Amino acid sequence: MIELREAIIEDREKAYQWLYYSDFSKFLNRLEGLTGETIPSYEKFKEDYQDYYFNGSHPEKGRCYIIVSTKNGKREDIGIISYTSFHLLEKITEFDIWLKSLAYTGHGYGTQAILKLVKIVKGRSYAKIIIRPSKHNQMAIKSYKKAGFVEKELKPWEYYREGYVDKFSEGDYGPGGDVFMVLSLL
Ligand SMILES: CC(C)(COP(=O)(O)OP(=O)(O)OC[C@H]1O[C@@H](n2cnc3c(N)ncnc32)[C@H](O)[C@@H]1OP(=O)(O)O)[C@@H](O)C(=O)NCCC(=O)NCCS
């Protein structure tokens, strides 16, 4: 069974470790063009994942949740999921998710976590969710399709706020490197 709990500041550093130093990180880092020398420092990670993701002070900008699994009565933090809205037009938000290691992938946990966060953002009156996996990350693409996301052509001005189009429309994987996916909540 999967639950989401609101992440707290103490969760931030382990989320960083899970992202850049777990057994799937080599694969993800390579997709992002990162090498041992260019993996972001924890200080840099904190610039992207500012305090408000972990203390709830700006829910209109974004929030992180820890994915908690309960198995045979034992609870365990197994990943992190977030929505981010500061860079997007009204009623649009973007999801990001990673589990803590490969052993936890492929069991449906990520998809269940997405569906739970979909419910939360629906309750906050969002109308659309976007997500942008690498085109080489089939596991992620499959999961997002199962959660209801569909592939769309990206027209940046239909999603990004003025001032953020140039910075974000390319995505994390360079031109043409990602699959732009949308879940419409209306
Ligand atoms: C992306 C992620 C959150 C998805 O969560 P998950 O719990 O693994 O997702 P699910 O188990 O529901 O679905 C994954 C699907 O991919 C399949 N799969 C597993 N390994 C695969 C592979 N190497 N190639 C293709 N498909 C694969 C699984 O069988 C499953 O499909 P199925 O339900 O039809 O059997 C999780 O895999 C993850 O954290 N991956 C590493 C970090 C990452 O890539 N994050 C996303 C960045 S955009």
PDB file of all heavy atoms in Angstrom, residues 2-4 13 18-19 23-24 26 32 42 44 67 74 86 97 101 104-105 107 121 124 126 134 157 160 177:
ATOM      1  N   ILE A   2       0.414   2.244  -0.768  1.00  0.00           N
ATOM      2  CA  ILE A   2       1.178   3.486  -0.905  1.00  0.00           C
ATOM      3  C   ILE A   2       0.396   4.661  -0.315  1.00  0.00           C
ATOM      4  O   ILE A   2      -0.806   4.777  -0.526  1.00  0.00           O
ATOM      5  CB  ILE A   2       1.405   3.750  -2.417  1.00  0.00           C
ATOM      6  CG1 ILE A   2       2.410   2.766  -2.971  1.00  0.00           C
ATOM      7  CG2 ILE A   2       1.837   5.163  -2.694  1.00  0.00           C
ATOM      8  CD1 ILE A   2       3.745   2.855  -2.311  1.00  0.00           C
ATOM      9  N   GLU A   3       1.092   5.508   0.399  1.00  0.00           N
ATOM     10  CA  GLU A   3       0.490   6.768   0.860  1.00  0.00           C
ATOM     11  C   GLU A   3       1.443   7.898   0.516  1.00  0.00           C
ATOM     12  O   GLU A   3       2.641   7.663   0.356  1.00  0.00           O
ATOM     13  CB  GLU A   3       0.384   6.801   2.382  1.00  0.00           C
ATOM     14  CG  GLU A   3      -0.621   5.896   3.012  1.00  0.00           C
ATOM     15  CD  GLU A   3      -0.328   5.818   4.496  1.00  0.00           C
ATOM     16  OE1 GLU A   3      -0.489   6.839   5.187  1.00  0.00           O
ATOM     17  OE2 GLU A   3       0.096   4.738   4.949  1.00  0.00           O
ATOM     18  N   LEU A   4       0.926   9.120   0.507  1.00  0.00           N
ATOM     19  CA  LEU A   4       1.791  10.294   0.389  1.00  0.00           C
ATOM     20  C   LEU A   4       1.738  11.035   1.713  1.00  0.00           C
ATOM     21  O   LEU A   4       0.673  11.194   2.291  1.00  0.00           O
ATOM     22  CB  LEU A   4       1.306  11.237  -0.711  1.00  0.00           C
ATOM     23  CG  LEU A   4       1.253  10.695  -2.140  1.00  0.00           C
ATOM     24  CD1 LEU A   4       0.916  11.831  -3.109  1.00  0.00           C
ATOM     25  CD2 LEU A   4       2.566  10.041  -2.533  1.00  0.00           C
ATOM     26  N   GLU A  13      17.595  16.163   1.832  1.00  0.00           N
ATOM     27  CA  GLU A  13      18.916  15.615   1.473  1.00  0.00           C
ATOM     28  C   GLU A  13      18.817  14.165   1.006  1.00  0.00           C
ATOM     29  O   GLU A  13      19.529  13.751   0.088  1.00  0.00           O
ATOM     30  CB  GLU A  13      19.893  15.743   2.648  1.00  0.00           C
ATOM     31  CG  GLU A  13      21.301  15.439   2.194  1.00  0.00           C
ATOM     32  CD  GLU A  13      22.372  16.117   3.032  1.00  0.00           C
ATOM     33  OE1 GLU A  13      22.031  16.800   4.015  1.00  0.00           O
ATOM     34  OE2 GLU A  13      23.552  15.928   2.692  1.00  0.00           O
ATOM     35  N   TRP A  18      18.839  10.021  -3.371  1.00  0.00           N
ATOM     36  CA  TRP A  18      18.092   9.066  -4.202  1.00  0.00           C
ATOM     37  C   TRP A  18      18.199   9.439  -5.675  1.00  0.00           C
ATOM     38  O   TRP A  18      18.293   8.562  -6.537  1.00  0.00           O
ATOM     39  CB  TRP A  18      16.599   9.053  -3.830  1.00  0.00           C
ATOM     40  CG  TRP A  18      16.260   8.584  -2.451  1.00  0.00           C
ATOM     41  CD1 TRP A  18      17.041   7.826  -1.619  1.00  0.00           C
ATOM     42  CD2 TRP A  18      15.046   8.842  -1.745  1.00  0.00           C
ATOM     43  NE1 TRP A  18      16.379   7.599  -0.444  1.00  0.00           N
ATOM     44  CE2 TRP A  18      15.156   8.206  -0.492  1.00  0.00           C
ATOM     45  CE3 TRP A  18      13.869   9.543  -2.036  1.00  0.00           C
ATOM     46  CZ2 TRP A  18      14.140   8.248   0.463  1.00  0.00           C
ATOM     47  CZ3 TRP A  18      12.854   9.580  -1.099  1.00  0.00           C
ATOM     48  CH2 TRP A  18      12.987   8.941   0.142  1.00  0.00           C
ATOM     49  N   LEU A  19      18.155  10.740  -5.965  1.00  0.00           N
ATOM     50  CA  LEU A  19      18.156  11.172  -7.366  1.00  0.00           C
ATOM     51  C   LEU A  19      19.518  10.983  -8.023  1.00  0.00           C
ATOM     52  O   LEU A  19      19.598  10.448  -9.124  1.00  0.00           O
ATOM     53  CB  LEU A  19      17.731  12.648  -7.455  1.00  0.00           C
ATOM     54  CG  LEU A  19      17.647  13.226  -8.868  1.00  0.00           C
ATOM     55  CD1 LEU A  19      16.663  12.427  -9.741  1.00  0.00           C
ATOM     56  CD2 LEU A  19      17.215  14.691  -8.839  1.00  0.00           C
ATOM     57  N   ASP A  23      20.984   3.467  -7.582  1.00  0.00           N
ATOM     58  CA  ASP A  23      21.409   2.549  -8.641  1.00  0.00           C
ATOM     59  C   ASP A  23      20.774   2.835  -9.999  1.00  0.00           C
ATOM     60  O   ASP A  23      21.112   2.193 -10.983  1.00  0.00           O
ATOM     61  CB  ASP A  23      21.201   1.078  -8.217  1.00  0.00           C
ATOM     62  CG  ASP A  23      19.794   0.804  -7.741  1.00  0.00           C
ATOM     63  OD1 ASP A  23      18.943   1.715  -7.771  1.00  0.00           O
ATOM     64  OD2 ASP A  23      19.527  -0.341  -7.320  1.00  0.00           O
ATOM     65  N   PHE A  24      19.805   3.782 -10.084  1.00  0.00           N
ATOM     66  CA  PHE A  24      19.329   4.177 -11.413  1.00  0.00           C
ATOM     67  C   PHE A  24      19.937   5.505 -11.850  1.00  0.00           C
ATOM     68  O   PHE A  24      19.701   5.975 -12.968  1.00  0.00           O
ATOM     69  CB  PHE A  24      17.792   4.250 -11.482  1.00  0.00           C
ATOM     70  CG  PHE A  24      17.169   5.218 -10.521  1.00  0.00           C
ATOM     71  CD1 PHE A  24      17.274   6.581 -10.698  1.00  0.00           C
ATOM     72  CD2 PHE A  24      16.463   4.751  -9.413  1.00  0.00           C
ATOM     73  CE1 PHE A  24      16.714   7.477  -9.807  1.00  0.00           C
ATOM     74  CE2 PHE A  24      15.902   5.634  -8.514  1.00  0.00           C
ATOM     75  CZ  PHE A  24      16.028   7.002  -8.723  1.00  0.00           C
ATOM     76  N   LYS A  26      22.939   6.500 -12.657  1.00  0.00           N
ATOM     77  CA  LYS A  26      23.834   6.501 -13.818  1.00  0.00           C
ATOM     78  C   LYS A  26      23.029   6.670 -15.095  1.00  0.00           C
ATOM     79  O   LYS A  26      23.367   7.455 -15.973  1.00  0.00           O
ATOM     80  CB  LYS A  26      24.610   5.178 -13.872  1.00  0.00           C
ATOM     81  CG  LYS A  26      26.045   5.360 -13.519  1.00  0.00           C
ATOM     82  CD  LYS A  26      26.834   4.119 -13.852  1.00  0.00           C
ATOM     83  CE  LYS A  26      28.212   4.273 -13.229  1.00  0.00           C
ATOM     84  NZ  LYS A  26      28.863   3.004 -12.979  1.00  0.00           N
ATOM     85  N   GLU A  32      20.567  13.033 -18.920  1.00  0.00           N
ATOM     86  CA  GLU A  32      20.624  14.496 -18.737  1.00  0.00           C
ATOM     87  C   GLU A  32      21.975  15.070 -19.138  1.00  0.00           C
ATOM     88  O   GLU A  32      22.212  16.266 -18.983  1.00  0.00           O
ATOM     89  CB  GLU A  32      20.343  14.863 -17.282  1.00  0.00           C
ATOM     90  CG  GLU A  32      18.883  14.732 -16.914  1.00  0.00           C
ATOM     91  CD  GLU A  32      18.524  15.514 -15.661  1.00  0.00           C
ATOM     92  OE1 GLU A  32      18.868  16.703 -15.577  1.00  0.00           O
ATOM     93  OE2 GLU A  32      17.916  14.912 -14.758  1.00  0.00           O
ATOM     94  N   TYR A  42      24.576  19.438  -3.597  1.00  0.00           N
ATOM     95  CA  TYR A  42      23.366  19.553  -2.766  1.00  0.00           C
ATOM     96  C   TYR A  42      22.943  21.020  -2.656  1.00  0.00           C
ATOM     97  O   TYR A  42      21.747  21.327  -2.663  1.00  0.00           O
ATOM     98  CB  TYR A  42      23.618  18.947  -1.388  1.00  0.00           C
ATOM     99  CG  TYR A  42      22.415  19.029  -0.491  1.00  0.00           C
ATOM    100  CD1 TYR A  42      21.169  18.549  -0.904  1.00  0.00           C
ATOM    101  CD2 TYR A  42      22.507  19.615   0.776  1.00  0.00           C
ATOM    102  CE1 TYR A  42      20.052  18.638  -0.085  1.00  0.00           C
ATOM    103  CE2 TYR A  42      21.388  19.707   1.592  1.00  0.00           C
ATOM    104  CZ  TYR A  42      20.167  19.226   1.153  1.00  0.00           C
ATOM    105  OH  TYR A  42      19.060  19.324   1.957  1.00  0.00           O
ATOM    106  N   LYS A  44      23.191  23.298  -4.952  1.00  0.00           N
ATOM    107  CA  LYS A  44      22.491  23.629  -6.206  1.00  0.00           C
ATOM    108  C   LYS A  44      21.081  23.013  -6.195  1.00  0.00           C
ATOM    109  O   LYS A  44      20.109  23.654  -6.605  1.00  0.00           O
ATOM    110  CB  LYS A  44      23.325  23.100  -7.395  1.00  0.00           C
ATOM    111  CG  LYS A  44      22.695  23.277  -8.749  1.00  0.00           C
ATOM    112  CD  LYS A  44      22.796  24.727  -9.219  1.00  0.00           C
ATOM    113  CE  LYS A  44      22.081  25.008 -10.517  1.00  0.00           C
ATOM    114  NZ  LYS A  44      20.636  24.936 -10.511  1.00  0.00           N
ATOM    115  N   ILE A  67       6.743   9.413  -0.743  1.00  0.00           N
ATOM    116  CA  ILE A  67       5.949   8.216  -1.039  1.00  0.00           C
ATOM    117  C   ILE A  67       6.291   7.188   0.038  1.00  0.00           C
ATOM    118  O   ILE A  67       7.454   6.822   0.217  1.00  0.00           O
ATOM    119  CB  ILE A  67       6.292   7.666  -2.441  1.00  0.00           C
ATOM    120  CG1 ILE A  67       6.124   8.763  -3.496  1.00  0.00           C
ATOM    121  CG2 ILE A  67       5.443   6.442  -2.768  1.00  0.00           C
ATOM    122  CD1 ILE A  67       6.780   8.446  -4.845  1.00  0.00           C
ATOM    123  N   LYS A  74       5.068  -2.687   8.143  1.00  0.00           N
ATOM    124  CA  LYS A  74       6.280  -1.855   8.222  1.00  0.00           C
ATOM    125  C   LYS A  74       6.183  -0.691   7.235  1.00  0.00           C
ATOM    126  O   LYS A  74       5.951  -0.900   6.047  1.00  0.00           O
ATOM    127  CB  LYS A  74       7.491  -2.741   7.881  1.00  0.00           C
ATOM    128  CG  LYS A  74       8.787  -2.171   8.368  1.00  0.00           C
ATOM    129  CD  LYS A  74       9.968  -3.068   7.982  1.00  0.00           C
ATOM    130  CE  LYS A  74      11.144  -2.183   7.676  1.00  0.00           C
ATOM    131  NZ  LYS A  74      11.883  -2.507   6.481  1.00  0.00           N
ATOM    132  N   PHE A  86       5.182  27.440 -10.335  1.00  0.00           N
ATOM    133  CA  PHE A  86       5.595  28.854 -10.403  1.00  0.00           C
ATOM    134  C   PHE A  86       5.898  29.304 -11.831  1.00  0.00           C
ATOM    135  O   PHE A  86       5.766  30.480 -12.161  1.00  0.00           O
ATOM    136  CB  PHE A  86       6.818  29.110  -9.504  1.00  0.00           C
ATOM    137  CG  PHE A  86       8.096  28.510 -10.016  1.00  0.00           C
ATOM    138  CD1 PHE A  86       8.903  29.205 -10.899  1.00  0.00           C
ATOM    139  CD2 PHE A  86       8.477  27.228  -9.638  1.00  0.00           C
ATOM    140  CE1 PHE A  86      10.073  28.650 -11.391  1.00  0.00           C
ATOM    141  CE2 PHE A  86       9.639  26.661 -10.125  1.00  0.00           C
ATOM    142  CZ  PHE A  86      10.441  27.371 -11.009  1.00  0.00           C
ATOM    143  N   ILE A  97       8.940  12.932 -10.261  1.00  0.00           N
ATOM    144  CA  ILE A  97       8.898  11.788  -9.337  1.00  0.00           C
ATOM    145  C   ILE A  97      10.150  10.944  -9.489  1.00  0.00           C
ATOM    146  O   ILE A  97      10.658  10.783 -10.599  1.00  0.00           O
ATOM    147  CB  ILE A  97       7.623  10.923  -9.593  1.00  0.00           C
ATOM    148  CG1 ILE A  97       7.588   9.683  -8.681  1.00  0.00           C
ATOM    149  CG2 ILE A  97       7.510  10.493 -11.050  1.00  0.00           C
ATOM    150  CD1 ILE A  97       6.265   8.922  -8.698  1.00  0.00           C
ATOM    151  N   SER A 101      15.260   3.519  -5.291  1.00  0.00           N
ATOM    152  CA  SER A 101      16.197   2.591  -5.926  1.00  0.00           C
ATOM    153  C   SER A 101      15.443   1.702  -6.909  1.00  0.00           C
ATOM    154  O   SER A 101      14.209   1.606  -6.870  1.00  0.00           O
ATOM    155  CB  SER A 101      16.941   1.786  -4.850  1.00  0.00           C
ATOM    156  OG  SER A 101      16.674   0.432  -4.952  1.00  0.00           O
ATOM    157  N   TYR A 104      12.566  -0.788  -6.151  1.00  0.00           N
ATOM    158  CA  TYR A 104      11.204  -0.324  -5.864  1.00  0.00           C
ATOM    159  C   TYR A 104      10.433  -0.003  -7.143  1.00  0.00           C
ATOM    160  O   TYR A 104       9.243   0.293  -7.087  1.00  0.00           O
ATOM    161  CB  TYR A 104      11.252   0.915  -4.951  1.00  0.00           C
ATOM    162  CG  TYR A 104      11.836   0.587  -3.603  1.00  0.00           C
ATOM    163  CD1 TYR A 104      13.215   0.607  -3.399  1.00  0.00           C
ATOM    164  CD2 TYR A 104      11.013   0.212  -2.543  1.00  0.00           C
ATOM    165  CE1 TYR A 104      13.760   0.271  -2.176  1.00  0.00           C
ATOM    166  CE2 TYR A 104      11.550  -0.125  -1.310  1.00  0.00           C
ATOM    167  CZ  TYR A 104      12.927  -0.094  -1.136  1.00  0.00           C
ATOM    168  OH  TYR A 104      13.456  -0.438   0.077  1.00  0.00           O
ATOM    169  N   THR A 105      11.120  -0.026  -8.282  1.00  0.00           N
ATOM    170  CA  THR A 105      10.441   0.307  -9.544  1.00  0.00           C
ATOM    171  C   THR A 105       9.761  -0.948 -10.109  1.00  0.00           C
ATOM    172  O   THR A 105      10.077  -2.076  -9.708  1.00  0.00           O
ATOM    173  CB  THR A 105      11.443   0.840 -10.597  1.00  0.00           C
ATOM    174  OG1 THR A 105      12.372  -0.201 -10.943  1.00  0.00           O
ATOM    175  CG2 THR A 105      12.223   2.034 -10.067  1.00  0.00           C
ATOM    176  N   HIS A 107       6.747  -2.021  -9.720  1.00  0.00           N
ATOM    177  CA  HIS A 107       5.721  -2.652  -8.876  1.00  0.00           C
ATOM    178  C   HIS A 107       4.436  -1.834  -8.827  1.00  0.00           C
ATOM    179  O   HIS A 107       3.558  -2.104  -8.012  1.00  0.00           O
ATOM    180  CB  HIS A 107       6.232  -2.817  -7.441  1.00  0.00           C
ATOM    181  CG  HIS A 107       7.461  -3.661  -7.329  1.00  0.00           C
ATOM    182  ND1 HIS A 107       7.429  -5.026  -7.495  1.00  0.00           N
ATOM    183  CD2 HIS A 107       8.752  -3.328  -7.094  1.00  0.00           C
ATOM    184  CE1 HIS A 107       8.669  -5.501  -7.358  1.00  0.00           C
ATOM    185  NE2 HIS A 107       9.487  -4.487  -7.117  1.00  0.00           N
ATOM    186  N   VAL A 121      -3.990  17.689  -6.442  1.00  0.00           N
ATOM    187  CA  VAL A 121      -3.975  18.921  -7.251  1.00  0.00           C
ATOM    188  C   VAL A 121      -5.362  19.207  -7.859  1.00  0.00           C
ATOM    189  O   VAL A 121      -5.711  20.362  -8.068  1.00  0.00           O
ATOM    190  CB  VAL A 121      -2.852  18.946  -8.334  1.00  0.00           C
ATOM    191  CG1 VAL A 121      -1.496  18.812  -7.703  1.00  0.00           C
ATOM    192  CG2 VAL A 121      -3.079  17.931  -9.419  1.00  0.00           C
ATOM    193  N   ARG A 124      -7.079  21.260  -5.634  1.00  0.00           N
ATOM    194  CA  ARG A 124      -6.589  22.650  -5.650  1.00  0.00           C
ATOM    195  C   ARG A 124      -6.948  23.366  -6.949  1.00  0.00           C
ATOM    196  O   ARG A 124      -6.334  24.364  -7.308  1.00  0.00           O
ATOM    197  CB  ARG A 124      -5.083  22.676  -5.443  1.00  0.00           C
ATOM    198  CG  ARG A 124      -4.745  22.156  -4.080  1.00  0.00           C
ATOM    199  CD  ARG A 124      -3.357  22.451  -3.648  1.00  0.00           C
ATOM    200  NE  ARG A 124      -3.235  21.988  -2.284  1.00  0.00           N
ATOM    201  CZ  ARG A 124      -2.129  21.593  -1.716  1.00  0.00           C
ATOM    202  NH1 ARG A 124      -1.015  21.632  -2.400  1.00  0.00           N
ATOM    203  NH2 ARG A 124      -2.114  21.180  -0.472  1.00  0.00           N
ATOM    204  N   TYR A 126      -6.523  22.673 -10.104  1.00  0.00           N
ATOM    205  CA  TYR A 126      -5.720  22.643 -11.326  1.00  0.00           C
ATOM    206  C   TYR A 126      -6.518  21.952 -12.437  1.00  0.00           C
ATOM    207  O   TYR A 126      -7.349  21.078 -12.166  1.00  0.00           O
ATOM    208  CB  TYR A 126      -4.406  21.894 -11.094  1.00  0.00           C
ATOM    209  CG  TYR A 126      -3.392  22.738 -10.355  1.00  0.00           C
ATOM    210  CD1 TYR A 126      -3.149  22.551  -9.001  1.00  0.00           C
ATOM    211  CD2 TYR A 126      -2.696  23.742 -11.020  1.00  0.00           C
ATOM    212  CE1 TYR A 126      -2.232  23.341  -8.309  1.00  0.00           C
ATOM    213  CE2 TYR A 126      -1.779  24.530 -10.349  1.00  0.00           C
ATOM    214  CZ  TYR A 126      -1.548  24.324  -9.001  1.00  0.00           C
ATOM    215  OH  TYR A 126      -0.654  25.114  -8.344  1.00  0.00           O
ATOM    216  N   SER A 134      12.441  11.725 -20.302  1.00  0.00           N
ATOM    217  CA  SER A 134      13.307  11.519 -21.463  1.00  0.00           C
ATOM    218  C   SER A 134      12.638  10.518 -22.401  1.00  0.00           C
ATOM    219  O   SER A 134      11.985   9.566 -21.967  1.00  0.00           O
ATOM    220  CB  SER A 134      14.646  10.933 -20.999  1.00  0.00           C
ATOM    221  OG  SER A 134      15.269  10.254 -22.062  1.00  0.00           O
ATOM    222  N   TRP A 157       4.077  28.425 -25.343  1.00  0.00           N
ATOM    223  CA  TRP A 157       3.291  29.568 -24.887  1.00  0.00           C
ATOM    224  C   TRP A 157       1.920  29.157 -24.352  1.00  0.00           C
ATOM    225  O   TRP A 157       1.256  29.928 -23.682  1.00  0.00           O
ATOM    226  CB  TRP A 157       3.158  30.583 -26.042  1.00  0.00           C
ATOM    227  CG  TRP A 157       2.549  29.958 -27.256  1.00  0.00           C
ATOM    228  CD1 TRP A 157       1.211  29.908 -27.562  1.00  0.00           C
ATOM    229  CD2 TRP A 157       3.241  29.264 -28.308  1.00  0.00           C
ATOM    230  NE1 TRP A 157       1.039  29.215 -28.736  1.00  0.00           N
ATOM    231  CE2 TRP A 157       2.260  28.817 -29.218  1.00  0.00           C
ATOM    232  CE3 TRP A 157       4.596  28.977 -28.557  1.00  0.00           C
ATOM    233  CZ2 TRP A 157       2.583  28.089 -30.363  1.00  0.00           C
ATOM    234  CZ3 TRP A 157       4.899  28.254 -29.700  1.00  0.00           C
ATOM    235  CH2 TRP A 157       3.914  27.826 -30.586  1.00  0.00           C
ATOM    236  N   TYR A 160       3.778  27.673 -20.553  1.00  0.00           N
ATOM    237  CA  TYR A 160       4.744  28.395 -19.710  1.00  0.00           C
ATOM    238  C   TYR A 160       4.408  29.873 -19.602  1.00  0.00           C
ATOM    239  O   TYR A 160       3.949  30.480 -20.559  1.00  0.00           O
ATOM    240  CB  TYR A 160       6.165  28.216 -20.273  1.00  0.00           C
ATOM    241  CG  TYR A 160       6.653  26.788 -20.123  1.00  0.00           C
ATOM    242  CD1 TYR A 160       6.488  25.871 -21.154  1.00  0.00           C
ATOM    243  CD2 TYR A 160       7.219  26.368 -18.930  1.00  0.00           C
ATOM    244  CE1 TYR A 160       6.894  24.550 -20.997  1.00  0.00           C
ATOM    245  CE2 TYR A 160       7.627  25.055 -18.767  1.00  0.00           C
ATOM    246  CZ  TYR A 160       7.465  24.155 -19.809  1.00  0.00           C
ATOM    247  OH  TYR A 160       7.859  22.850 -19.644  1.00  0.00           O
ATOM    248  N   GLY A 177      14.632  15.863 -26.816  1.00  0.00           N
ATOM    249  CA  GLY A 177      15.076  14.746 -25.977  1.00  0.00           C
ATOM    250  C   GLY A 177      14.014  14.177 -25.055  1.00  0.00           C
ATOM    251  O   GLY A 177      14.214  13.125 -24.450  1.00  0.00           O
TER     252      GLY A 177
END
